[in-house]
Amino acid sequence: MVNFDEILLLGIGILSLGFLNKNRGDPSVQTVGMSKPFVNPYLDKLQTSQVSALNQLGTSKENLENIRLNNLEIAQNILNVERQRADVNIDFIQSNLDEARSYVSEQQKIPAGSTFGINTTGKSLLNKFDKEFKFYQERWTGEKGLLSEKSLFPDLYVPFSQATRAAFAQQARYESAQENIQKVQPFILSSEQKIIDLNAEYTNKYGDISRYS
């Protein structure tokens, strides 16, 4: 009388022939018999039990169906384990990717300020404003009017007002946000590709249960 363990071991053996054949050449796989690969953890048991199990089971329709069903159960267990392993890596990458996307989303909400049509950056204009404002604030007597009415540039009227400074400061923040987005984009693209690659690797290596039915 053949017991369930013998059927299970035979199922592992037959499943290994098809399921693990793609791993030929992998250093983690050894071959026995007719150069058929087996995963190391099963090698010893299979070598000692396959022949006796085959002799006792025979090739009746009922026995072959039992073996087929056991194969599917083993295959599904393997698929579940490998899917979980893949998902651990994917979930980690996805978590970091979500944070990066959230950061980009926040940076994109920062509106632009103004450079008053001057072909330079908001940061440089802000530095110029603060430097010159400090200089004139210490020396401006008011004889020539309000300091806020003076122009920051001699050939272009840009008032020396706090509204002007606010526009420069906002533009500087906007430019900084755009730079931050550009810095994060390579990480986002790389992470997206890693997830695609991990899913493709799982699909190519294991597929779904229909591959083993």
Side-chain angles (χ1 to χ4, degrees), residues 40-84:
N40 288 333
Y42 297 117
L43 183 58
D44 293 337
K45 289 184 177 180
L46 288 171
Q47 284 178 319
T48 58
S49 65
Q50 271 191 308
V51 174
S52 62
L54 277 170
N55 288 337
Q56 294 180 62
L57 283 173
T59 57
S60 71
K61 182 177 180 180
E62 180 181 357
N63 288 335
L64 291 176
E65 178 62 13
N66 286 335
I67 292 171
R68 187 186 74 83
L69 294 176
N70 280 314
N71 284 349
L72 291 178
E73 182 178 354
I74 295 166
Q76 187 61 65
N77 289 335
I78 293 174
L79 290 176
N80 291 343
V81 170
E82 295 302 329
R83 181 71 261 180
Q84 289 172 2

Side-chain angles (χ1 to χ4, degrees), residues 21 28 35 48 55 61 91 95 105-106 119 177 184 187 194 200 210:
N21 189 55
S28 67
S35 299
T48 58
N55 288 337
K61 182 177 180 180
D91 289 347
S95 177
S105 178
E106 290 301 315
N119 188 25
V184 174
F187 173 79
K194 285 179 181 178
S210 63

Side-chain angles (χ1 to χ4, degrees), residues 10-206:
L10 179 60
I12 295 173
I14 294 175
L15 177 64
S16 298
L17 299 183
F19 178 72
L20 298 171
N21 189 55
K22 61 182 174 297
N23 289 323
R24 188 185 304 278
D26 190 319
S28 67
V29 173
Q30 297 182 8
T31 59
V32 295
M34 300 172 62
S35 299
K36 298 294 185 180
F38 296 99
V39 176
N40 288 333
Y42 297 117
L43 183 58
D44 293 337
K45 289 184 177 180
L46 288 171
Q47 284 178 319
T48 58
S49 65
Q50 271 191 308
V51 174
S52 62
L54 277 170
N55 288 337
Q56 294 180 62
L57 283 173
T59 57
S60 71
K61 182 177 180 180
E62 180 181 357
N63 288 335
L64 291 176
E65 178 62 13
N66 286 335
I67 292 171
R68 187 186 74 83
L69 294 176
N70 280 314
N71 284 349
L72 291 178
E73 182 178 354
I74 295 166
Q76 187 61 65
N77 289 335
I78 293 174
L79 290 176
N80 291 343
V81 170
E82 295 302 329
R83 181 71 261 180
Q84 289 172 2
R85 289 177 179 173
D87 287 344
V88 167
N89 293 329
I90 291 173
D91 289 347
F92 177 77
I93 296 172
Q94 186 66 57
S95 177
N96 290 330
L97 178 57
D98 289 343
E99 289 185 10
R101 286 173 172 167
S102 177
Y103 175 75
V104 168
S105 178
E106 290 301 315
Q107 295 296 299
Q108 289 174 333
K109 294 177 182 177
I110 298 176
S114 176
T115 61
F116 291 84
I118 302 168
N119 188 25
T120 186
T121 65
K123 183 178 180 179
S124 64
L125 290 171
L126 181 62
N127 289 336
K128 177 178 175 61
F129 183 97
D130 287 345
K131 182 179 179 180
E132 294 199 16
F133 185 81
K134 181 179 180 181
F135 174 83
Y136 283 111
Q137 190 178 38
E138 294 173 350
R139 296 166 176 78
W140 195 261
T141 62
E143 295 179 357
K144 298 182 179 181
L146 298 175
L147 179 58
S148 61
E149 296 176 351
K150 173 180 169 53
S151 178
L152 184 60
F153 296 94
D155 54 347
L156 177 66
Y157 182 70
V158 179
F160 236 135
S161 66
Q162 290 303 306
T164 297
R165 187 189 186 283
F168 290 161
Q170 185 59 46
Q171 180 64 18
R173 285 191 290 271
Y174 170 79
E175 292 164 357
S176 178
Q178 295 303 304
E179 291 174 2
N180 292 336
I181 291 172
Q182 292 302 313
K183 290 177 182 177
V184 174
Q185 283 300 334
F187 173 79
I188 290 178
L189 294 176
S190 174
S191 297
E192 290 173 341
Q193 189 59 51
K194 285 179 181 178
I195 292 175
I196 292 172
D197 291 344
L198 283 171
N199 279 317
E201 179 183 3
Y202 173 84
T203 300
N204 293 335
K205 190 174 183 180
Y206 299 103

